[in-house]
Amino acid sequence: QEVLGEDRLMAILKERELRIYWGTATTGKPHVAYFVPMSKIADFLKAGCEVTILFADLHAYLDNMKAPWELLELRTRYYEHVIKAMLESIGVPLDRLRFVRGTDYQLSKEYTLDVYRLSSVVTQHDAKKAGAEVVKQVEHPLLSGLLYPGLQALDEEYLKVDAQFGGVDQRKIFTFAEKYLPSLGYSKRVHLMNPMVPGLTGGKMSSSEEDSKIDLLDRKEDVKKKLKKVFCEPGNVENNGVLSFVKHVLFPLKSEFVVLREEKWGGNKTYTDYEALEKDFAEQVVHPGDLKNSVEVALNKLLDPIREKFNTPELKKLSSAAYPNPSKAKPGEKGTKNSEPEEVIPSRLDIRVGKVISVEKHPDADSLYVEKIDVGEAEPRTVVSGLVQFVPKEQLQDRLVVLLCNLKPQKMRGVESQGMVLCASSVGEPRQVEPLDPPAGCCAGERVYVEGYEDGEPDEELKPKKKVFEKLQADFRVSEDCVAQWKQRNFLTKLGRVSCKSLKGGTIS
């Protein structure tokens, strides 16, 4: 999708073949979207490149401990087996690849010294900004997440490559590397980026969002079940996860796609370019049911060799050890039948559109407003918000806001607050805050929900000790087009998307 440093790339190719690396942090189980970089790695090998695959185990730990230290070695072994099985599934010769683990060299004296050297010139702002699309963003980030981009930049030097390949979500880390590697006396590298494949639910396909992805080891019945649930509206080619999968995974691997259907509907049809398939789907020549069934058949052909390879006692044992089933925890621990964990999902939040009736300064706190907000109840709610330094009083008066209504009421400097105004907040300094905006035309009291979680009943009151809101809020983000999201799923009302004015890439609290 994008190349940074094309001039350097062409200069290298005049002299020799390109040395390139692709890295993956060994966190959640790899899913079918990994076929996108795998097919590109096949292209690089066909073009004569020397390709290194990095299993970034240390990165997996630094990214908010997505891989616990005690599971790091097991998950790295799992990734090594599954990535090799994927490559074999699409006919990539493994003998022409170099496989490296991050901890093979990232714990050396030289590398560690370079981490310290880099940390002496990188600003906290630049480190946080670089990792914004890749490292999990939380309200109080760990120092480890700020180290992550620097390590990825140093990998380019220590792997002795000319170029790094990754998704467009890595762009900020790539530009960070181009800016800071020369400050240590190392050369800039070329960066090549493939598009991000939408998940089956429309957002980014994510290891942490179960319904958005198909695991490489999912059974055939699981694949069928997940595809059956996918939204795939007749004629709708926008944000269509099934069509996107055909475009970004199946066509690049096979150069064709066969729509399977009964003779009475025209029989099977082979497409040799994606645009023709998209056109037929838009014109409803191809039915969503036939598209899903055809994707299911094509996908299972790719997954069968991987499933077969993992159908051995040794790899079954590795899989269950690397990703232990919570239900098999010891008695009394979370996940046992004696202590069934509560499902933390967005429908548990009672979020509504509110209209600000009045705004006054808190009598005992200069930084706080006391607002009366209509949320469709008999009486407006009293809400205390720390917005004085960010939003002028006149900008709040009579405006529509988004209010979390089922927090336990609590006193703030003597005034009981009966809700929380949800706001977008900038990632960098100086801090900027903007209240979220419901779509124009909404009424006070209208429900705000997360896409895909429309039907659940909110808790009557969120218990503070269970931290339901805090756990969900860790994945609240503002998209690049300023839409409020949870795990890439939009906040919606019946009139459309909830957004903010300008703080793209920000957090929500």
Side-chain angles (χ1 to χ4, degrees):
Q1 181 166 319
E2 188 178 0
V3 178
L4 300 177
E6 193 166 347
D7 291 346
R8 295 195 295 277
L9 173 66
M10 301 312 290
I12 292 165
L13 289 173
K14 285 177 182 175
E15 298 179 8
R16 55 176 171 77
E17 300 297 358
L18 192 73
R19 292 191 290 264
I20 188 167
Y21 101 87
W22 173 79
T24 180
T26 53
T27 52
K29 287 184 177 180
H31 45 72
V32 293
Y34 278 60
F35 276 116
V36 178
M38 295 303 105
S39 65
K40 187 52 63 176
I41 285 168
D43 288 344
F44 292 144
L45 289 172
K46 287 173 193 168
C49 299
E50 296 175 26
V51 182
T52 297
I53 290 181
L54 171 68
F55 298 111
D57 46 359
L58 199 54
H59 288 73
Y61 180 70
L62 292 175
D63 186 0
N64 221 48
M65 292 184 288
K66 283 183 182 175
W69 190 261
E70 63 274 14
L71 295 180
L72 212 55
E73 165 65 17
L74 292 166
R75 290 197 178 172
T76 304
R77 280 169 48 205
Y78 177 90
Y79 262 70
E80 193 163 344
H81 283 290
V82 87
I83 295 291
K84 287 179 178 178
M86 284 185 80
L87 290 164
E88 288 171 342
S89 165
I90 61 173
V92 175
L94 299 185
D95 57 348
R96 294 179 55 202
L97 288 165
R98 178 172 69 128
F99 296 93
V100 178
R101 294 187 184 199
T103 46
D104 288 346
Y105 63 90
Q106 288 167 348
L107 302 177
S108 69
K109 177 181 175 181
E110 294 77 16
Y111 189 94
T112 304
L113 182 58
D114 271 344
V115 172
Y116 288 137
R117 288 173 64 207
L118 196 59
S119 65
S120 71
V121 294
V122 173
T123 65
Q124 177 263 353
H125 171 269
D126 281 4
K128 190 172 183 181
K129 180 182 175 185
E133 298 294 319
V134 177
V135 180
K136 185 173 182 179
Q137 298 297 300
V138 293
E139 192 169 358
H140 301 292
L142 297 172
L143 181 60
S144 58
L146 299 178
L147 291 173
Y148 189 112
L151 268 66
Q152 189 166 333
L154 287 172
D155 289 341
E156 297 178 345
E157 175 64 26
Y158 279 77
L159 291 172
K160 301 301 177 190
V161 294
D162 309 304
Q164 184 179 173
F165 163 59
V168 289
D169 61 336
Q170 305 270 334
R171 192 182 197 283
K172 290 177 181 176
I173 290 183
F174 291 167
T175 55
F176 172 94
E178 292 197 0
K179 177 179 178 180
Y180 282 107
L181 275 187
S183 68
L184 299 187
Y186 300 140
S187 59
K188 288 183 183 181
R189 266 54 181 199
V190 179
H191 295 101
L192 304 104
M193 288 161 271
N194 62 268
M196 300 307 296
V197 179
L200 298 172
T201 53
K204 175 181 170 182
M205 197 176 286
S206 166
S207 292
S208 60
E209 190 179 342
E210 188 58 37
D211 286 341
S212 81
K213 67 187 175 79
I214 292 173
D215 281 337
L216 297 169
L217 299 181
D218 272 349
R219 299 170 305 164
K220 290 187 177 183
E221 49 267 43
D222 295 327
V223 173
K224 182 183 284 294
K225 185 178 172 183
K226 288 182 179 180
L227 282 170
K228 197 171 183 179
K229 287 165 60 179
V230 172
F231 176 75
C232 186
E233 185 181 28
N236 184 354
V237 299
E238 298 298 323
N239 210 28
N240 186 321
V242 184
L243 274 178
S244 297
F245 186 76
V246 176
K247 178 180 180 179
H248 294 292
V249 177
L250 298 178
F251 259 109
L253 289 175
K254 299 293 183 184
S255 302
E256 67 174 30
F257 179 70
V258 181
V259 172
L260 306 169
R261 57 190 174 190
E262 296 179 30
E263 287 298 329
K264 64 180 178 180
W265 304 119
N268 296 351
K269 184 170 180 180
T270 300
Y271 291 89
T272 53
D273 68 272
Y274 171 76
E275 288 69 25
L277 172 63
E278 186 180 272
K279 181 174 180 289
D280 276 2
F281 188 85
E283 294 173 359
Q284 300 191 35
V285 174
V286 174
H287 187 271
D290 292 330
L291 179 67
K292 287 184 181 183
N293 290 338
S294 306
V295 167
E296 181 187 339
V297 170
L299 181 53
N300 278 320
K301 283 182 181 175
L302 288 174
L303 297 182
D304 278 342
I306 304 172
R307 294 185 188 117
E308 187 178 344
K309 182 164 184 177
F310 271 75
N311 194 28
T312 64
E314 180 191 354
L315 289 184
K316 281 181 179 177
K317 183 179 177 182
L318 173 62
S319 183
S320 60
Y323 298 93
N325 187 337
S327 65
K328 294 182 179 177
K330 295 174 185 175
E333 290 181 350
K334 280 187 179 179
T336 66
K337 291 179 181 177
N338 301 330
S339 173
E340 197 66 32
E342 290 186 320
E343 196 175 15
V344 181
I345 53 176
S347 53
R348 294 182 63 180
L349 305 179
D350 182 3
I351 307 177
R352 301 183 223 166
V353 174
K355 183 170 183 181
V356 180
I357 306 298
S358 67
V359 190
E360 301 295 338
K361 280 273 194 79
H362 192 296
D364 298 317
D366 292 340
S367 63
L368 302 178
Y369 284 130
V370 179
E371 304 126 1
K372 295 287 185 184
I373 301 180
D374 177 9
V375 287
E377 298 169 333
E379 297 291 332
R381 292 193 178 209
T382 300
V383 177
V384 180
S385 303
L387 295 173
V388 172
Q389 61 179 313
F390 302 109
V391 185
K393 179 178 170 181
E394 57 273 16
Q395 287 185 19
L396 278 178
Q397 182 68 46
D398 297 323
R399 76 171 282 163
L400 292 178
V401 293
V402 175
L403 194 73
L404 177 61
C405 296
N406 59 341
L407 289 173
K408 183 178 180 180
Q410 61 175 344
K411 286 195 173 182
M412 298 178 71
R413 296 290 189 93
V415 177
E416 186 175 79
S417 182
Q418 300 167 319
M420 178 193 290
V421 177
L422 294 181
C423 299
S425 188
S426 61
V427 175
E429 298 294 339
R431 190 178 177 217
Q432 296 173 271
V433 175
E434 296 173 357
L436 295 182
D437 292 315
C442 284
C443 300
E446 205 165 301
R447 178 130 185 251
V448 176
Y449 56 88
V450 171
E451 190 174 9
Y453 293 87
E454 298 89 342
D455 301 327
E457 279 297 313
D459 291 14
E460 188 172 334
E461 182 179 282
L462 298 171
K463 305 301 180 191
K465 285 185 179 179
K466 294 188 176 179
K467 297 192 179 299
V468 172
F469 172 70
E470 290 80 357
K471 289 172 184 175
L472 291 165
Q473 188 257 337
D475 292 302
F476 286 2
R477 292 292 304 281
V478 178
S479 71
E480 288 302 309
D481 52 353
C482 290
V483 177
Q485 296 183 330
W486 174 79
K487 291 188 175 182
Q488 288 85 41
R489 296 185 181 218
N490 297 332
F491 281 59
L492 301 169
T493 73
K494 63 185 180 184
L495 293 180
R497 304 185 298 182
V498 173
S499 60
C500 70
K501 287 187 171 51
S502 65
L503 300 181
K504 54 180 73 172
T507 58
I508 297 172
S509 56

